[in-house]
Amino acid sequence: MERLKRHVCFGGVQEVHRHRSAVLGCAMEFALYLPPQAARGPVPLVTYLSGLTCTWENATTKAGAQRYAAEHGLALLFPDTSPRGLDLPGEHERYDFGSGAGFYVDATAEPWSANYRMFSYVTEELPALVGGAFPLDMARQGIMGHSMGGHGALVSAFRHPDRYRSVSAFSPIVAPSQVPWGRNAFTGYLGPDEAAWAAYDATALAASTAWRKPVLVDQGTGDEFLAGQLRPELLEAACATAGIPLTVRRQDGYDHSYYFIASFMGDHLAHHAAALRG
Ligand SMILES: N[C@@H](CCC(=O)N[C@@H](CSC=O)C(=O)NCC(=O)O)C(=O)O
């Protein structure tokens, strides 16, 4: 692992690292924020999964998360959104598939299955790497994300209720099997058999997950993707049926941008801190 950047920030440090991922078969970059409390011992870790077209950089520079992470003593991990540097056929043609759009699945369809294994990368390989190298308490992990990353966060929590103690999402794609972004990505990465898609669909997973901790979702009512791609009402119905304590806060007039995320980041990190304390 090679450190590329280091900036003192709110008394802690914002770092960027490059490493060789065995799971993805390529070199990857990630960002890690260590709060001031990490100088005195291990701190809880919250992983933030970004959306379509993003790298680690969007959230680290635009979400305003470090101030709240420093207040609560939380480390923040910002992975990239897809494997990089591969140049597979068609990999860079669309903003919603291929590079920058890994959808946090382990692909099973060719030619993606050898490298596009972002679910294993963000839930296993990368946490193990940072847990072994930095002062992190890996028994206290939370996960959050935006849009495609909100989908990834919800699926990660619902599939690993013992690994994550807290989850939240900004404008998540809650039912990828039912909306164009998700259907296109899942067809490409997982193949046409829709039965296989349920393992990466939070609304479908709600019926079987053991997750019963509070789930916080913020959704802007002025979001241009709300009706076509996000559809939080589908997750609300599934969680109500399953008995999962979901709160969807509809925020008047906010859009899909990082201005929205920055506006409510403090609430989200307070939600994680409450669950990860002690
Ligand atoms: N057509 C747009 C779509 C890209 C976009 O809006 N990306 C969002 C995430 S959308 C769901 O995953 C994003 O976070 N963009 C980065 C940012 O810094 O705002 C386009 O291609 O621009």
Side-chain angles (χ1 to χ4, degrees), residues 15 47 58 70 107 110 123 210 226 278:
E15 299 187 344
T47 296
N58 302 71
E110 298 292 331
T123 62
L226 176 53

Side-chain angles (χ1 to χ4, degrees), residues 48 50-55 57-59 61-62 95-96 100 103 146-150 171 173 181 224-225 230 256-259 261:
Y48 177 99
S50 291
L52 295 166
T53 73
C54 292
T55 68
E57 189 166 22
N58 302 71
T61 57
K62 298 204 282 192
Y95 79 92
D96 59 355
F103 265 85
H146 171 228
S147 196
M148 176 182 73
S171 35
I173 305 167
W181 273 344
E224 58 273 38
F225 301 117
L230 307 178
H256 201 66
S257 73
Y258 269 88
Y259 296 105
I261 295 169

Side-chain angles (χ1 to χ4, degrees), residues 29-139:
E29 294 182 3
F30 66 88
L32 180 71
Y33 178 71
L34 292 170
Q37 295 85 343
R40 298 191 292 276
V43 295
L45 176 68
V46 177
T47 296
Y48 177 99
L49 301 180
S50 291
L52 295 166
T53 73
C54 292
T55 68
W56 55 262
E57 189 166 22
N58 302 71
T60 55
T61 57
K62 298 204 282 192
Q66 293 91 345
R67 170 186 162 189
Y68 304 107
E71 285 175 11
H72 294 295
L74 299 174
L76 301 175
L77 175 62
F78 302 92
D80 205 341
T81 55
S82 74
R84 299 290 177 179
L86 300 172
D87 290 333
L88 298 172
E91 190 183 15
H92 311 307
E93 288 172 5
R94 295 178 61 126
Y95 79 92
D96 59 355
F97 188 80
S99 53
F103 265 85
Y104 305 104
V105 302
D106 286 351
T108 52
E110 298 292 331
W112 312 102
S113 54
N115 306 98
Y116 273 68
R117 305 186 64 237
M118 289 298 291
F119 187 72
S120 292
Y121 178 68
V122 300
T123 62
E124 290 174 19
E125 185 185 36
L126 190 54
L129 179 75
V130 297
F134 300 98
L136 303 173
D137 179 353
M138 300 306 283

Side-chain angles (χ1 to χ4, degrees), residues 132-189:
F134 300 98
L136 303 173
D137 179 353
M138 300 306 283
R140 291 188 287 158
Q141 289 191 69
I143 192 158
M144 64 192 298
H146 171 228
S147 196
M148 176 182 73
H151 137 73
L154 292 167
V155 167
S156 297
F158 285 4
R159 286 181 56 160
H160 292 300
D162 296 330
R163 186 172 310 170
Y164 298 105
R165 287 202 205 172
S166 56
V167 67
S168 73
F170 296 98
S171 35
I173 305 167
V174 303
S177 304
Q178 301 186 51
V179 300
W181 273 344
R183 292 186 63 80
N184 178 67
F186 284 8
T187 301
Y189 295 136

